[in-house]
Amino acid sequence: MSKPPPGLRTGTLGTADIAFFVISAAAPLTVMAGVAPIAIMLGGIGAPAGYLLAGITLAIFAVGFTAMSRHVPGGGAFYAYITRGLGRPVGIGAALLALVGYLGMATGIYGLLGSATVETAHALWGLDLPWLPVSLIGLLLVWYGGFRSIDFGAKLLGVLLIAETGILLLLAAGVLIDGGADGLGLDSFAPGNVLVPGTVGVLAVAFAAFTGFESTVIYRREARDPGRTVTRATYAAVAFLGTFYAFVVWAVIQAFGDEAVVKAAADDPAGLFFSAITTYVGAWAADLMHILIVTSVLASLLAFHNAINRYGLALAEEGVLPRALGRVHPRHRSPYLAGVAQTVLGAAVVLGFGLAGADPYAQLLLWVNTPGMIGLMALMLLTAIAVPCYFRTVRHGEGRLRTVVAPVTAAVLLAVAIYLIASRVELFTGASPLVNTVLLSLVPIVFAIGVGLALRLRHSRPEVYARFAADPEADDTAGFEPDDTDPDPDPDPDKRSEPCPQPTPS
């Protein structure tokens, strides 16, 4: 009898491991040193509150999101949840949007890797390096990290994450010990400084800083005690990012003083954090921060690379992508062919931008990342809508707070957040109105193509369509008793007479 093909390494990741993947994808040091000065320019000293508000919104989303994760097994995450709540056409559209969104985020960050490395080499050693070879070398390093076992990646990301958060905490400690420029105060959280027109722009920037936090559920099959580990990791990631971002931005404001910080951010946004850490810690710390920004970007790339590999694996197992992408390495237990395909695609895009003479930051990063970021937020919105729809049709032991109140509230808040980002998209791209229109249009276009693919599959490959987002196997739902008042434990998502309208008939 032949052996079954190898699968992912189960029971490997704990709460901290998954949280490392999620927080690393957000790249806290890069987000703070590279983007937080823009938030200060827009919102003034009330900028820290914007990060707290974004974190609260995503924590509310996580309530329904994690409740559903305990009832829907598998590695498809968003698209599986959306399929169960809103039907297969919407679910397959979401699957394509998720794959393209994550690919956009990861590929664009290779431009940031190139530009950050070039700036670091020039600042520390006076070297003028070309960015394109740096980005291509980064592609190979990230491929290797994803090729190795998932526990190898978790350990590596843990080390890199501790280093990048450590340098920011060192900066904050220096400011606190010294007392800041004008003494320490909490004016950043006063309503009069938070409720200003510029807060709209801060919220747009702040939501972008959490990108990738939702990928906790992608690692469900590799988690220890997934019913609890995934939930804990999600809340831990959101709580850490929200409070950490707000604390660090507040500390930098104290470093310059309420009256001077906005001008300092406007005069030299790229150097704001380096100037602060030089003053309060020392020039050696600024040099170390330059190096850790590069490792922060590498950590973010590895986290996204692993997430994309698992989305590719899930879609290959569904039969939507070629079966070869679902192969798992017999030794490392990683979806290695999905990693190869992702690396080849990334290299093609990076080479294309490089040969066209594009700027690695202003064009490769910002133009490719922006639709990816908005696409992932659209997936969160669809998931929030799907949660109450799903729980109205299955037996469960969850309360109304988790299944109705929180997801509906999150849907409203996420819709507002998407509008804020879309209305201020020039903050992220620095591009012309025409380019911005094209970038924003990519999200609904990709989703529509996915829905079209679903309708085609329903007629041409009905067996693939019928098993899309089905339970791969019995999963751990211990601790959740069914509600015997609901006679149907998990109906076919295309055969529900209620509760939510389907965008396309099935």
Side-chain angles (χ1 to χ4, degrees), residues 222-453:
E222 295 158 285
R224 296 192 295 268
D225 189 10
R228 293 174 174 83
T229 301
V230 169
T231 300
R232 292 169 181 167
T234 303
Y235 284 123
V238 174
F240 174 82
L241 289 173
T243 55
F244 184 73
Y245 287 154
F247 171 66
V248 171
V249 175
W250 171 82
V252 169
I253 291 171
Q254 305 310 300
F256 289 89
D258 292 352
E259 299 296 328
V261 68
V262 175
K263 184 178 186 303
D267 290 344
D268 185 16
L272 187 72
F273 275 67
F274 296 101
S275 175
I277 201 168
T278 299
T279 300
Y280 289 92
V281 181
W284 65 269
D287 292 343
L288 181 59
M289 181 179 281
H290 274 292
I291 295 171
L292 291 178
I293 282 181
V294 175
T295 62
S296 169
V297 176
L298 279 170
S300 177
L301 283 166
L302 179 56
F304 274 116
H305 182 86
N306 279 312
I308 295 165
N309 286 352
R310 281 146 185 81
Y311 255 112
L313 171 67
L315 289 173
E317 291 174 341
E318 302 276 14
V320 175
L321 292 180
R323 288 287 184 183
L325 296 179
R327 292 181 186 171
V328 175
H329 194 275
R331 178 184 175 189
H332 299 302
R333 309 289 285 274
S334 61
Y336 69 107
L337 286 184
V340 170
Q342 181 190 166
T343 302
V344 170
L345 179 61
V349 175
V350 171
L351 278 170
F353 273 81
L355 296 176
D359 184 274
Y361 183 90
Q363 293 171 312
L364 175 53
L365 171 68
L366 299 182
W367 291 12
V368 177
N369 260 34
T370 297
M373 174 190 66
I374 296 174
L376 294 181
M377 292 195 68
L379 286 169
M380 284 192 275
L381 173 59
L382 288 172
T383 301
I385 296 170
V387 171
C389 295
Y390 170 78
F391 279 115
R392 285 183 62 183
T393 60
V394 299
R395 297 173 182 172
H396 64 87
E398 310 283 355
R400 287 182 61 83
L401 175 64
R402 290 179 176 275
T403 60
V404 179
V405 177
V408 169
T409 303
V412 173
L413 294 174
L414 285 166
V416 172
I418 292 171
Y419 169 76
L420 293 177
I421 291 174
S423 66
R424 304 295 297 272
V425 71
E426 68 278 359
L427 294 176
F428 300 94
T429 66
S432 67
L434 176 60
V435 171
N436 289 332
T437 300
V438 171
L439 295 178
L440 290 174
S441 299
L442 289 174
V443 174
I445 289 172
V446 169
F447 178 74
I449 291 172
V451 173
L453 173 63

Side-chain angles (χ1 to χ4, degrees), residues 109-132:
I109 293 172
Y110 283 105
L112 177 59
L113 175 64
S115 63
T117 305
V118 168
E119 290 174 6
T120 296
H122 183 77
L124 299 186
W125 305 294
L127 299 176
D128 292 319
L129 301 177
W131 72 267
L132 183 57

Side-chain angles (χ1 to χ4, degrees), residues 29 42 118 196 218 320 386 415 460:
L29 176 56
L42 293 170
V118 168
V196 296
I218 297 174
V320 175
S460 63

